[in-house]
């Protein structure tokens, strides 16, 4: 290889610092959000959830049909331009009922998750933060409760309290908070003993600072994931209760009740009676699961379900 | 490390690597991890490969056994010859015959490199049964013998135990036993002592030396610890950014380092006999981005004695003394005139930035 | 374990007794006051709640779960005698099927990571998780049984009757197992000991079955308790849809008839069953994972 002689001189000094940090600084939540937006499935799930929420909120304005109006002359009609998703055996518009059912189903799911979240965080947080004997006693109680098969308890409560929107939420959260409390407590315990909390404490940080800066942001990721997964399981549980006749009572309708009502009609060919509610239940489940998986990857990629 | 070894016991080339290129396909593009590596391992010797993290030393070692992830890694060119037999073209099945029986490998952390749910006896025996036509009883006997050899007492009972029942040093011994049980001619040790306490490190290194004397196995040891190199290696290859920049007998390379990078490595290592008032000198900067390696010498950007030529032309290999090769433009006679920092080659001193 | 069981019994008992009115209040039926009085005496319902509670506990100790009120003189014990074998075989078939197919599916998906087969398997798993099992059951009846007439529509009897309900019952757990197995397998395959196994020259099949599968499936065992609970509650639905005379059917009938004695009895039975199952799963895990065994020995 011919190398020109004139190059054998000291390399000219280059401008700029080679060790400059090129990437802009991101906060924890910015990084998490950035990571999440790159996950297409999770974003799709989020979009579906937002659409469903809009549907549930403004749904009744999207149709001129009433969800309670019976019209026996047009019972069990196929989907048409008038009745987009067909009608049921009492001639009620399935589309209107789906929209209304979205409210009920999502409300149940969100409320149950919210109550789980609040009770779970308080209970688990106290147990984990104070530790020692408090933790021992509180976790003993939770361990015992955890052994109880939760759907059986829900059924029992429903039988006792009678079917209804409020009772479903109460019954679901009466059992749902236990898992959340266990998880929050585990997170808090783990974080409390982590070295960066120790470092912060060594530097003289106050407990309030530690909770705000370290425990909360780090535990919250995992908790959000848990909440995301508990919404669809509440909706699923409601569908299950509807099947046992313990769901929402007419004329109100949740997707679970509608799917259950639609079950026998599938043999008679009225497929839309089952298809639409089942489709929306599945869609919601799918959306929350996709979002939850995405959040899981964002916040704690090591722990998979 | 003040007792240089010479390569008198080295024999015929056992393993020869010529111009090896390995490329990884990632989402970000192609990473040229190994860019033209030449290695020679002679029978019965210990060859060390040193370099910073990410310099391609582990990738080189894994490509010798073709253990790289099949989907992403590709040997794009070059040749690997074991006892004169070309390995790059072999089928997966032929390679499996070779792995464990001709070339073996041990890894950094025995805790993760051994299966936690299978008894260690079974993990040794399965290798024997794979490569030798022997009965289970015979394989067991060999396993016991091997465990004894690597210094594990009560091998009969130890065979039935699981990984977590052993200490860190013991785990490393077991991994060595697994690797050597089929009497391979080449043993590749990828950072075998990095995860261990210093006292255990010394024991394991001594074990290597003892096993080499007993079995005559040739060892390639990958490390970033120059102390390890000084203790057990006959020859050393210094790698930087996917290339071998300097290679030669350990004593020669340590006492008369030629490449500025080797100098930097030696200068950044603390020594008991060094003057404590002189601060350690780290090498400034970070290794280049191997997505787009620089056209010239990869070290040029971090080199205090870089010349204009280093940025544009890749340096050629020169042999300042027999068996000692260097790939650096400073070896070019025309570079002799360029001494900007008035630092003689061969001292560990480097100008501060 | 016993504390949990006692707690369940107590909760169940007091919940059932907090329901206003007596079990003999029937809508639209005017029962004779003296008849009701006699019935109340017969079942001890006229005594104070505390006494009834002790009576109930006493009968439980002798494994007597009490009478049925709606189906007198049938007792909960005899319902279990009749229904449980049916439910057990259905549940076991579903569980075994879910475990075998779930693990196989998850493993194949992990080995063909991001390939066509992986996508297919994971779409199937997502469907299994997101579609309620009563929908799956109805679909199976409509297509396999009614349209194609391949298998009987409902009821219980020959092995042919078992296929559809077992299939419907197993989809959820199968999907969960498949997902978990895949995730674990993908992770296990990147572990160093897999590379060690390759460095020994072992064949891929040996590596997958001997070294990877065992470690990938271990976490599935911990999930088994939850899956059994899932199958159990699922069986209420499936048995009702397929008109299978199992425990689930009695339980659901009990709910519909507001037959508190039956609800109470079956709940206690189910709870005991689940708690014992969880306990067995814990023991099994200790036997399978050598690391746990040492931990317990040391503790």
């Amino acid at each position: 290889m011919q190398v020109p002689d004139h190059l054998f001189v000291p390399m000219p000094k280059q401008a700029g610092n080679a060790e400059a940090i090129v990437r802009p600084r991101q906060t924890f939540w910015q990084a998490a959000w950035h990571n999440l937006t790159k996950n297409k499935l999770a974003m799709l799930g989020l979009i579906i959830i937002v659409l469903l929420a809009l549907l549930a909120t403004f749904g009744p304005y999207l149709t001129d049909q009433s969800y309670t109006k019976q019209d026996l002359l047009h019972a069990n009609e196929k989907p048409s331009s008038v009745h987009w998703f067909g009608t049921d055996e009492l001639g009620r518009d399935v589309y209107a009922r789906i929209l209304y059912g979205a409210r009920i189903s999502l409300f149940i799911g969100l409320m149950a998750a919210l109550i789980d979240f609040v009770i779970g965080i308080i209970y688990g947080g106290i147990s984990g933060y104070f530790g020692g004997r408090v933790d021992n006693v509180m976790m003993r109680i939770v361990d015992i409760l955890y052994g109880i098969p939760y759907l059986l308890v829900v059924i029992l409560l429903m039988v006792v309290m009678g079917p209804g929107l409020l009772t479903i939420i109460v019954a679901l959260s009466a059992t749902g908070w236990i898992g959340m409390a266990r998880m929050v407590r585990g997170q808090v315990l783990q974080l409390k003993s982590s070295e960066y909390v120790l470092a912060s404490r060594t530097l003289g940080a106050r407990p309030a600072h530690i909770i705000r800066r370290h425990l909360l942001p780090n535990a919250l990721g995992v908790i959000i994931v848990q909440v995301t997964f508990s919404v669809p399981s509440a909706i699923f549980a409601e569908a299950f209760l509807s099947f046992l006749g313990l769901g929402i009572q007419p004329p109100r309708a949740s997707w679970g009740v509608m799917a259950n009502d639609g079950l026998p009609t599938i043999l008679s060919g009225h497929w839309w009676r089952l298809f639409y509610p089942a489709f929306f239940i599945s869609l919601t489940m799918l959306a929350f699961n996709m979002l939850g998986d995405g959040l899981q990857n964002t916040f704690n990629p090591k722990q998979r379900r | 490390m003040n007792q240089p070894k010479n390569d008198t016991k080295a024999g015929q080339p056992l393993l020869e690597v010529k111009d090896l290129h390995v490329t990884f396909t990632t989402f970000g593009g192609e990473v040229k991890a190994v860019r033209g590596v030449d290695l020679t391992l002679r029978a019965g010797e210990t060859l060390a490969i040193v370099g910073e993290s990410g310099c391609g030393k582990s990738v080189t070692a894994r490509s010798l056994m073709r253990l790289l992830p099949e989907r992403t890694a590709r040997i794009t060119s070059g040749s690997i010859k074991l006892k004169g037999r070309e390995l790059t073209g072999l089928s997966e099945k032929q390679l499996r015959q070779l792995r464990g029986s001709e070339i073996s490998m041990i890894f950094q952390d025995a805790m993760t490199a051994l299966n936690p749910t299978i008894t260690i006896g079974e993990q040794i025996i399965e290798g024997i049964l794979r490569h030798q036509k022997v009965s289970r009883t015979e394989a067991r006997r060999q396993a016991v013998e091997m465990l004894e050899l690597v210094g594990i007492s009560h091998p009969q009972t130890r065979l039935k135990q699981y990984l977590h029942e052993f200490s860190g040093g013991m785990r490393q011994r077991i991994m060595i036993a697994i690797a050597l049980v089929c009497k391979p001619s080449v043993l590749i040790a990828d950072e075998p002592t990095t995860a261990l306490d210093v006292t255990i490190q010394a024991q394991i290194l001594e074990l290597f030396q003892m096993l080499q004397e007993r079995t005559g196995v040739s060892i390639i040891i990958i490390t970033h610890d120059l102390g390890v190199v000084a203790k057990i290696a006959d020859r050393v290859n210094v790698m930087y950014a996917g290339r071998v920049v300097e290679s030669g007998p350990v004593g020669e390379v340590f006492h008369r380092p030629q490449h500025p990078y080797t100098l930097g490595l030696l200068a950044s290592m603390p020594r008991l006999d060094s003057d404590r008032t002189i601060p350690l000198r780290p090498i400034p900067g970070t290794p280049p981005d191997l997505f787009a390696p620089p056209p010239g010498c990869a070290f040029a950007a971090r080199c205090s004695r870089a010349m204009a030529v280093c940025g544009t032309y890749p340096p050629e290999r020169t042999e300042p003394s027999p068996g000692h090769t260097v790939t650096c433009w400073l070896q070019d006679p025309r570079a002799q005139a360029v001494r900007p920092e008035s630092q003689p080659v061969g001292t560990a001193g480097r100008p501060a930035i | 374990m016993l504390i949990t069981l006692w707690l369940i019994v107590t909760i169940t008992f007091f919940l059932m007794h907090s329901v206003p009115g007596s079990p003999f209040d029937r809508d639209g039926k005017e029962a004779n006051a003296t008849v009701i009085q006699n019935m109340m005496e017969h079942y001890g319902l006229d005594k104070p709640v505390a006494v009834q509670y002790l009576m109930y506990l006493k009968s439980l100790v002798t494994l007597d779960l009490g009478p049925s009120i709606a189906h007198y003189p049938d007792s909960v014990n005899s319902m279990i005698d009749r229904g449980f074998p049916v439910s057990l075989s259905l549940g076991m078939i579903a569980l075994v099927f879910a475990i075998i197919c779930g693990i196989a599916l998850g493993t194949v998906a992990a080995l063909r990571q991001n390939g066509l087969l992986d996508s297919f398997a994971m779409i199937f798993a997502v469907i299994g998780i997101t579609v309620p099992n009563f929908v799956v059951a109805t679909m199976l009846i409509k297509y396999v049984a009614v349209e194609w007439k391949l298998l009987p529509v409902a009821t219980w009897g020959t092995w042919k009757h078992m296929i559809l309900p077992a299939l419907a019952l197993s989809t959820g757990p199968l999907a969960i197992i498949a997902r978990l197995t895949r995730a674990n397998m993908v992770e296990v395959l990147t572990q160093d000991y897999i590379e060690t196994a390759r460095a020994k020259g072992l064949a891929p099949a040996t590596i997958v079955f001997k070294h990877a599968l065992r470690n990938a499936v271990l976490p599935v065992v911990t999930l088994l308790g939850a899956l059994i609970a899932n199958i159990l509650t699922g069986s209420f639905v499936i048995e009702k849809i397929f008109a299978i005379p199992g425990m689930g059917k009695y339980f659901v009938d009990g709910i519909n008839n507001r037959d508190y004695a039956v609800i109470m009895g079956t709940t206690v039975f189910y709870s005991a069953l689940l708690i014992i199952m969880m306990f067995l799963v814990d023991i099994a895990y200790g036997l399978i994972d050598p690391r746990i065994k040492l931990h317990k020995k040391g503790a």
Side-chain angles (χ1 to χ4, degrees):
Chain A
M1 197 194 316
Q2 279 301 319
V3 179
D5 290 352
H6 68 85
L7 284 176
F8 285 85
V9 292
M11 187 180 260
K13 284 273 175 283
Q14 276 169 7
N17 185 355
E19 291 182 29
I21 295 161
V22 187
R23 293 220 298 188
R25 195 171 162 272
Q26 280 183 321
T27 68
F28 176 74
W29 298 107
Q30 279 170 342
W33 173 249
H34 179 76
N35 199 333
L36 190 66
T37 49
K38 280 196 301 190
N39 186 331
K40 288 196 189 98
L41 277 182
M43 287 320 281
L44 182 65
L46 185 64
I47 290 168
I48 294 174
I49 291 168
V50 169
L51 286 180
L52 285 170
L54 288 176
L55 217 61
T57 316
F58 301 108
Y61 306 106
L62 297 177
T63 175
D64 48 2
Q65 299 288 331
S66 154
Y67 76 95
T68 48
K69 202 189 96 198
Q70 301 184 6
D71 182 359
L72 291 172
L73 288 175
H74 296 97
N76 282 329
E77 262 185 16
K78 274 190 184 159
S80 63
S81 55
V82 184
H83 301 291
W84 289 5
F85 291 175
T87 60
D88 68 5
E89 81 275 16
L90 297 174
R92 294 176 296 197
D93 183 60
V94 173
Y95 177 62
R97 287 177 71 74
I98 288 277
L99 289 178
Y100 189 78
R103 276 188 173 185
I104 306 264
S105 288
L106 287 177
F107 182 72
I108 290 172
L110 290 174
M111 280 312 285
L114 188 71
I115 296 172
D116 288 358
F117 173 76
V118 172
I119 301 178
I121 275 199
I122 294 173
Y123 194 97
I126 291 174
S127 183
Y129 192 79
F130 289 102
R133 193 179 295 164
V134 179
D135 182 43
N136 268 340
V137 172
M138 288 176 87
M139 277 305 119
R140 235 9 256 151
I141 296 171
V142 160
D143 278 345
I144 293 168
L145 292 177
Y146 195 71
I148 304 175
Y150 104 93
L151 265 178
L152 282 179
V153 178
V154 172
I155 293 171
L156 224 55
L157 286 173
M158 294 302 298
V159 169
V160 173
M161 295 188 294
L165 184 59
L166 195 68
T167 48
I168 284 186
I169 293 173
V170 170
L172 287 178
S173 13
T175 52
W177 66 273
I178 296 169
M180 183 69 85
R182 274 166 69 106
M183 209 205 57
V184 171
R185 178 239 177 204
Q187 277 292 312
V188 172
L189 272 188
Q190 189 196 332
L191 290 171
K192 227 175 62 171
S193 61
S194 70
E195 302 202 343
Y196 57 84
V197 169
L198 184 67
S200 179
R201 199 170 286 168
T202 319
L203 292 173
R206 287 187 310 272
H209 177 83
I210 292 175
I211 291 176
R212 193 160 40 88
R213 292 289 303 173
H214 298 296
L215 295 189
L216 222 53
N218 287 295
L220 215 52
V222 181
I223 294 165
I224 288 173
V225 172
Q226 179 83 5
V227 171
T228 316
F229 282 116
S230 67
V231 173
S233 69
I235 294 175
F236 220 59
E238 188 274 325
F240 172 77
L241 289 174
S242 303
F243 182 85
L244 297 180
L246 295 170
I248 304 291
Q249 299 300 298
R252 282 182 163 172
S254 68
W255 294 337
V257 172
M258 292 176 68
N260 184 36
D261 288 346
L263 282 183
T265 62
I266 189 159
L267 296 179
S268 55
H270 306 144
W271 54 269
W272 58 92
R273 296 282 312 279
L274 176 63
F275 175 78
Y276 288 108
F279 172 78
F280 275 93
I281 292 175
S282 302
L283 188 69
T284 314
M285 291 285 295
L286 189 68
F288 274 100
N289 271 301
M290 287 194 301
L291 181 64
D293 280 345
L295 288 170
Q296 182 94 300
N297 282 332
T298 305
F299 289 122
N300 46 337
K302 284 247 81 169
Q303 183 197 333
R304 294 204 186 86
R305 281 165 71 93
Chain B
M1 69 181 283
N2 289 325
Q3 287 183 330
K5 289 174 189 158
N6 49 38
D7 54 347
T8 44
K9 69 172 173 176
Q12 290 301 305
L14 182 68
L15 183 72
E16 266 198 299
V17 178
K18 283 239 168 7
D19 196 32
L20 183 71
H21 284 77
V22 181
T23 302
F24 283 86
T25 313
T26 69
F27 290 114
E30 301 230 308
V31 182
K32 298 174 187 72
V34 172
R35 307 181 295 138
V37 162
D38 293 329
L39 288 177
T40 310
L41 179 70
R42 297 184 199 128
E45 77 166 350
T46 301
L47 175 73
I49 303 180
V50 295
E52 289 168 289
S53 315
C55 72
K57 51 191 197 296
S58 287
V59 175
T60 307
R62 277 170 173 70
S63 52
L64 297 184
M65 284 187 84
R66 300 271 303 278
L67 271 181
L68 296 167
E70 290 151 52
R71 287 221 198 114
T72 52
R74 210 168 66 248
I75 296 180
T76 44
S77 66
S79 106
I80 303 167
K81 275 198 175 121
L82 178 72
K83 294 176 177 169
R85 184 181 179 197
E86 180 61 50
L87 300 190
T88 45
L90 291 190
S91 71
E92 182 62 27
K93 205 176 164 191
Q94 289 169 310
L95 281 167
R96 282 205 297 275
Q97 294 287 345
L98 227 60
R99 290 182 194 138
S101 66
E102 279 293 330
I103 313 183
S104 272
M105 187 155 180
I106 62 173
F107 301 91
Q108 177 177 340
D109 186 1
M111 187 66 208
T112 57
L114 297 179
N115 194 324
T117 60
I118 297 180
T119 61
I120 61 122
E122 180 56 31
Q123 293 187 59
I124 302 175
I125 289 168
E126 68 177 355
I128 304 172
L129 292 177
R130 169 72 183 82
H131 294 292
Q132 297 173 20
K133 287 197 165 28
V134 295
S135 68
R136 232 186 143 71
T137 331
E138 167 62 15
R140 236 184 97 80
R141 198 193 56 73
Q142 288 188 17
V144 169
E145 202 174 82
M146 197 65 220
L147 280 183
E148 226 154 33
L149 188 64
V150 297
I152 287 175
S153 49
H154 311 297
Q156 293 281 2
T157 36
R158 290 303 228 172
L159 274 186
K160 296 186 202 97
Q161 295 187 330
Y162 292 93
L163 186 64
H164 60 260
E165 300 171 65
F166 292 86
S167 68
M170 287 293 164
R171 288 178 190 142
Q172 206 67 26
R173 283 167 194 270
I174 291 162
M175 196 146 72
I176 294 170
I178 290 174
L180 290 182
V181 76
C182 290
K183 314 219 168 11
S185 43
V186 179
L187 174 68
I188 302 169
D190 189 356
E191 309 244 3
T193 57
T194 309
L196 301 173
D197 288 347
V198 187
T199 48
I200 310 287
Q201 275 189 18
Q203 288 177 15
I204 295 294
L205 292 179
E206 269 155 30
L207 178 65
F208 274 121
Q209 286 173 321
M210 187 272 280
L211 289 170
Q212 188 163 45
E213 275 165 33
R214 290 271 193 98
T215 62
V217 65
S218 308
I219 300 175
I220 296 180
I221 187 161
I222 295 160
T223 182
H224 56 251
D225 185 345
L226 297 178
V228 170
V229 178
K231 184 157 168 52
I232 77 162
D234 299 306
R235 289 191 305 118
V236 59
N237 277 329
V238 181
M239 279 190 73
Y240 186 78
R243 282 191 177 140
V244 176
V245 293
E246 183 159 7
S247 138
V250 171
E252 175 78 16
V253 172
F254 276 26
H255 286 272
R256 277 184 294 280
Q258 297 295 319
H259 198 283
Y261 178 65
T262 316
L263 268 164
L265 278 185
L266 288 166
S268 57
M269 187 176 71
R271 291 168 52 158
L272 268 182
D273 57 354
S274 60
D275 183 352
R276 292 195 195 175
T277 56
I278 300 173
L280 290 175
R281 297 184 191 278
I283 304 175
T286 49
D289 183 2
L290 290 178
F291 281 108
C297 171
F299 189 60
R302 298 170 73 188
C303 181
S304 64
R305 299 175 56 202
M307 298 173 291
V309 64
C310 303
T312 31
Y313 292 92
E316 279 156 44
R317 187 159 52 191
T318 53
E319 199 165 354
S321 60
H324 183 179
T325 62
V326 183
T327 312
C328 177
W329 279 121
L330 289 172
Q331 298 298 318
D332 191 287
R334 288 168 289 186
Q336 295 302 315
V338 190
R339 284 285 158 83
E341 324 271 355
S342 72
Q343 285 281 343
V345 176
T347 67
R350 279 172 44 81
I353 319 132
Chain C
M1 204 166 100
L2 278 176
I3 298 176
T4 312
L5 199 55
W6 169 78
L7 203 71
I8 293 169
V9 171
T10 309
I11 293 175
T12 316
F13 182 86
F14 285 103
L15 275 178
M16 287 295 129
H17 283 264
S18 66
V19 182
S22 84
F24 306 109
D25 296 337
R26 283 275 181 275
D27 302 326
K29 267 194 244 163
E30 280 295 319
N32 187 320
T34 49
V35 172
I36 290 180
Q37 189 58 37
N38 286 340
M39 295 282 271
M40 298 279 274
E41 268 170 33
H42 180 82
Y43 290 114
L45 292 173
D46 53 343
K47 299 198 176 67
V49 176
V51 178
Q52 290 185 38
Y53 175 62
L54 288 177
M55 278 169 58
Y56 190 65
L57 278 187
K58 205 175 121 196
S59 66
L60 278 185
V61 173
T62 58
L63 298 180
D64 177 8
L65 291 170
S68 159
I69 291 170
H71 299 281
Y72 185 80
D74 211 353
S75 75
V76 178
N77 282 56
S78 68
M79 285 180 177
I80 292 173
D81 282 347
R82 273 174 283 136
F84 186 59
V86 175
S87 295
L88 184 70
S89 47
L90 175 62
M92 288 310 282
I93 293 170
L95 186 65
V96 169
F97 181 76
I99 290 173
I100 293 174
C101 293
I103 289 175
L105 201 64
T107 308
V108 169
L111 293 179
R112 296 272 173 277
Q113 205 184 333
N114 301 328
L116 199 66
L117 216 56
D118 183 19
S119 310
F120 177 76
M122 283 308 110
I123 288 171
F124 179 79
V126 165
I127 291 173
I129 290 173
T130 55
V131 180
N133 58 7
F134 53 81
V135 176
V136 176
T138 318
M139 290 300 184
L140 285 175
I141 291 179
K142 174 159 169 73
Y143 290 100
V144 181
V146 175
E147 305 243 311
W148 305 331
K149 303 198 187 328
L150 294 177
L151 291 163
V153 174
T155 71
W156 195 244
T158 65
W159 60 271
K160 280 187 177 175
H161 290 92
M162 295 185 186
I163 296 177
L164 288 188
L167 218 56
L169 193 51
S170 65
T171 43
L174 195 158
I176 294 170
I177 294 175
R179 265 171 65 122
L180 189 71
T181 307
R182 179 186 178 275
N184 291 332
M185 196 68 172
V186 166
E187 194 173 320
V188 165
L189 286 176
T190 65
Q191 295 289 313
D192 292 348
Y193 55 78
I194 296 300
E195 196 166 22
T196 308
R198 285 181 66 199
K200 277 181 217 170
L202 299 181
T206 319
I207 295 177
V208 169
F209 286 108
K210 189 167 170 184
H211 286 272
L213 196 57
R214 186 190 172 102
N215 295 336
V217 166
L218 270 177
V220 176
V221 178
T222 52
L223 207 69
L224 223 49
L227 290 178
I228 292 171
N230 181 317
I231 284 190
L232 195 145
T233 43
S235 72
F236 303 160
V237 174
I238 298 302
E239 286 181 11
K240 188 181 169 198
I241 292 180
F242 287 92
I244 295 166
M247 280 283 292
K249 186 179 155 292
Y250 289 112
F251 184 65
V252 175
D253 285 350
I255 292 170
N256 290 337
N257 294 332
R258 299 288 184 273
D259 188 339
Y260 297 117
V262 169
I263 296 177
M264 205 154 76
T266 39
T267 305
V268 170
F269 177 75
Y270 274 135
S271 307
L273 187 73
L274 271 178
I275 290 167
I276 292 168
M277 284 295 192
M278 302 260 195
F279 184 66
L280 290 179
V281 166
D282 272 357
I283 293 175
Y285 194 77
L287 291 179
I288 296 169
D289 191 340
R291 285 165 296 189
I292 306 281
K293 200 158 47 182
L294 182 90
H295 178 71
K296 279 192 179 151
K297 225 188 281 168

